[in-house]
Amino acid sequence: MKPVKVLIVDDEIEFATTLAERLRLRGYDAKAVYCAEDTFAIAKSDTPDILLLDLRMPGMSGLEILMTVREFAPNIKVILLTGHIDLEEKIEGIRISNFDYLMKPVDINELTEKIDKAVGKQSNVG
């Protein structure tokens, strides 16, 4: 079985690269990008199974990025990441993404459970 492809989109470079590394150690095919343009390029050329998307990004917001990605990859599963609780943003994000969200800092076990649930498989967590 090929690994689940995860694209992490977050302007916090250290957070995103560390999270990608931790997911790769757990058997996921994880990549990190730090801006909307790179997100669109990868999502179009090598569509991931899961998009881990920070809501608060400079330039385009996470919700704007999500709506654009939905235009060319409507079936991608999305888990929204946020360090700030904004109830309206959370509700709108879940409505658009039709999946889930996590607060930062992210618990890796909770994240992998949500990823596996999103793609419809049993958890990789041992």
Side-chain angles (χ1 to χ4, degrees), residues 62-72 92 95-96:
L63 290 179
E64 291 171 318
I65 293 170
L66 174 57
M67 289 186 287
T68 302
V69 168
R70 283 278 186 235
E71 292 174 10
F72 57 84
E92 181 67 5
R95 184 188 68 75
I96 294 169

Side-chain angles (χ1 to χ4, degrees), residues 4-5 28 49-50 77 99 114-121:
V4 174
K5 289 192 285 187
Y28 298 92
D49 301 302
I50 298 286
K77 304 292 186 202
F99 198 63
K114 287 182 183 287
I115 289 171
D116 292 343
K117 181 180 174 187
V119 296
K121 65 180 232 175

Side-chain angles (χ1 to χ4, degrees), residues 47-92:
T47 304
D49 301 302
I50 298 286
L51 184 64
L52 295 181
L53 180 59
D54 185 18
L55 282 174
R56 302 261 170 114
M57 303 266 297
M60 290 184 87
S61 74
L63 290 179
E64 291 171 318
I65 293 170
L66 174 57
M67 289 186 287
T68 302
V69 168
R70 283 278 186 235
E71 292 174 10
F72 57 84
N75 297 324
I76 194 169
K77 304 292 186 202
V78 178
I79 299 173
L80 302 170
L81 304 174
T82 186
H84 313 278
I85 295 177
D86 179 328
L87 190 56
E88 283 184 38
E89 199 173 55
K90 174 183 157 186
I91 291 168
E92 181 67 5

Side-chain angles (χ1 to χ4, degrees), residues 17-18 25 28 47 58 62 68 74 91 93 97 100-101 113 116 121:
T17 55
T18 301
L25 289 171
Y28 298 92
T47 304
T68 302
I91 291 168
S97 72
D100 216 335
Y101 88 103
E113 287 173 12
D116 292 343
K121 65 180 232 175

